[in-house]
Amino acid sequence: MRRFVSLLVSVGVVILALILSMGAIAATGGPPVEALHALWDGAFGGLAQFGGTLTRSLPTYLAALGWIVAFSARRINVGLEGQILVGGVGAALVGLHFEGMHALLHLGLGVTVGAAFGAAYAGIAAWLWARRQVNELLTTLLLTFVAIRLVEWLVRGPLQESGGVLAQTDRVHGSARWPVIMAQGSLSLDVLLIPLLAVCVYFLIHRTTFGYRLRLAGANPTAAVHAGVSTVRVGVLALLVSGALAGLGGVSRILGSESSRMTDWFSADHGFEGIVVALLARNGPLAAIPAALLFGALRQGGGLMEARVGVSSSLVQVTQGVVILLVALIEFVHRRRERERVDKTYTGESGAVKHRAGLDSNDEQPEQSPRVGHGGI
Amino acid sequence: MGVFDAAWLYATIRVSTPLVFGSMGEVVAQRAGVINIGLEGMMLTGALSAFIATWLTGSLFLGVISGAAAGALLACIMAGLSIEAKADQIVVGVGILILAIGFTTFIDQELFAVRERVFLDRMAPVPIPGFFAIPFLGPLLFNHIPLVYLAYGLVPVVWFVMFRTSLGISIRACGETPQAADTAGVSVRGVRWGATVFAGMMAGVGGAFLSVAQLGLFVENMSAGRGFLALAAVFFGKWNPLLIVLGCLLFGAANALQLRLQPEPFVPFEVWLVLGVAALLAFVAVHVVRRQAPSALVTLGVVGVAAGAFTLAIIGPTWDLASQLWLALPYVLALVVLGGVVGRSHMPSMLGVPYHRGGER
């Protein structure tokens, strides 16, 4: 029942955000209904459009999983965008070299290197946090800006295409590409990562010892320390896994994209979008699937909306921002409700005092002093 | 000395200004217990708002006011959600960031993309009579646009208010032990609201500096991470305005160096020399301050960097480092200094933690 309510709330948030965005279109003199129609046609109008929606959902979803893993240990990885970029660089390096390698090996190597690059990049922030007590929030953001410049330099410098005209690399070798499922919409086999990793991450967080340690370190660092769990180790691992997931998103942007090249800023905000998706899904790996599809659809449909009605597709970002703020607001109402419910349980006539570990629901954030545990905020 | 000349120093002071505005607001908010990740977004919105206001009215003054107002408006959303609704401050900050990026791009495209790019008159430097006549220092320090004076004038004021007035004690108490502040009759809500809105205003003015004062135009995403550098400066400066401004100048110097190097055909030897000396000095300074022996790995790294830099200075290779790498320099520098300097001890204890009054849960 509670799950159902929170689902309804999430849907309500999205509808409200869409209505507000339509209002913004109307306010700037655009046709809101036609815009919505174009958005729908662009995202779900046909098989090709739906393929595009799936393709665009994938990096966002992987970034969302990255956020969810880190956040279950209460580590804030806002630099998913940078990890996508660096993961993509790893994939491009592999894809541009090793000509004539067996396709399975080549792709496997590209995926592995991409994920490793993403993890290593998050690892810098993890090291600074664990050893130097620097807030990972700040370092992951700063690292994102470094990654953006790094890619800008690579596509104009050492990795520029042979012609040397545009700021992009050559196409990666065919053997490194994810096999194409559907030519229209450039849907590749990497889309299978969505169900696969959804299950893996869910299992990892909720059904393994490591996942339990993650959640314990996140929910109550003091208890974790008393239970013999090293919060530092867990936090570092959470950030590494988070970076690897984002890195996989970067791999898909290169090895699973139609152009198969690395360009400026090929992460295209998928990393930040992943955060929105994770928050909308209340940090549930399974619930993040429909949320990611929604944002993929907005992104895919935004192009047609811009072309047909002339409304800038940056409006989609406005919608996303509104979604986050509404989720934050509703979280508040939800938590207050929850508290009232719990108070009733404690003082209720049933007489039974329920013990709440605060571990089973992700939206429950126990109050804690940042002095407790390592790293604080 | 080569590229490290008066023009570089002048540029350092100028390009550090938005960081100073941003971090002076941010330090007040963080001392009061509110971490404002949306700083970058407030800066961007301030830049656009100031540009539109100046474009419509022709008045730079109204532009700056409008930038401050826009920043304050976003800060009100931030305050409402994080103080009243007690939402996660980081989440709200990220929301404001994404909202601001999308919103400014949308408005910019709706208003300006169809016609030609609008250029406005920039703010003109106002030499301060008397002081301007001082040799070397006069043209360097006293020949800036008014916003630069305002930014650096703000630093001692913020320091004084923070550490020498009862208002400052209230602000710091709200970030350290809000319960105690509440018991003593300080309105934690009020102080946090005020601090957050002040931070938004300052970020907005910093944005206005970028668009109307410095460039005379608005470019999508023009704040380009300066908000995060301002945040880094606050952490670097250990929540003390006088140290924070040093951090801003440091990041500004890296940025100014990149501007200064653009016309040079290759990286001159003095850059390598300074890099080596700076690495060694910073290394020594950090360990003197910390009173602890450096780890072997770090020593090896620093000595390696310094040795490499000195070798490059002597050989003097005709390398032309790509501008993109120089643009990354302030961020790399911020990461390095954060890793080298900051400990957790000075962070306001209740930073990012919503305050619940007794019984109100």
Side-chain angles (χ1 to χ4, degrees), chain A residues 3 6-7 10 61 65 68 198 202 277-278 280-293:
Chain A
R3 289 248 166 106
S6 74
L7 177 73
S10 296
Y61 180 65
L65 285 183
I68 290 168
Y202 179 83
V277 164
L280 185 61
R282 291 161 185 277
N283 295 307
L286 303 180
I289 296 181
L293 283 177

Side-chain angles (χ1 to χ4, degrees), chain A residues 323-335, chain B residues 80-81 85 87 92:
Chain A
V323 165
I324 298 195
L325 297 179
L326 285 176
V327 167
L329 184 65
I330 278 157
E331 195 89 314
F332 158 66
V333 180
H334 187 77
R335 215 180 312 158
Chain B
L81 284 172
V92 177

Side-chain angles (χ1 to χ4, degrees), chain B residues 111 227 279:
Chain B
L111 281 180

Side-chain angles (χ1 to χ4, degrees), chain B residues 35-43 74 78 92-94 96-97 100:
Chain B
I35 184 160
N36 178 19
I37 301 294
L39 182 67
E40 170 90 6
M42 295 174 186
M43 215 176 234
L74 272 183
M78 168 90 203
V92 177
V94 171
I96 284 182
L97 176 66

Side-chain angles (χ1 to χ4, degrees), chain A residues 161-221:
Chain A
E161 57 169 356
S162 342
V165 186
L166 296 172
Q168 59 183 24
T169 63
D170 285 320
R171 291 175 72 92
V172 296
H173 295 305
S175 53
R177 276 218 30 143
W178 283 100
V180 178
I181 299 177
M182 196 169 71
Q184 318 107 315
S186 71
L187 189 64
S188 332
L189 205 60
D190 53 350
V191 76
L192 292 181
L193 287 175
I194 295 183
L196 192 70
L197 286 173
V199 175
C200 286
V201 168
Y202 179 83
F203 199 78
L204 177 81
I205 295 181
H206 292 281
R207 295 282 182 275
T208 64
T209 324
F210 174 66
Y212 183 76
R213 291 199 178 124
L214 277 187
R215 288 179 295 139
L216 184 61
N220 194 339

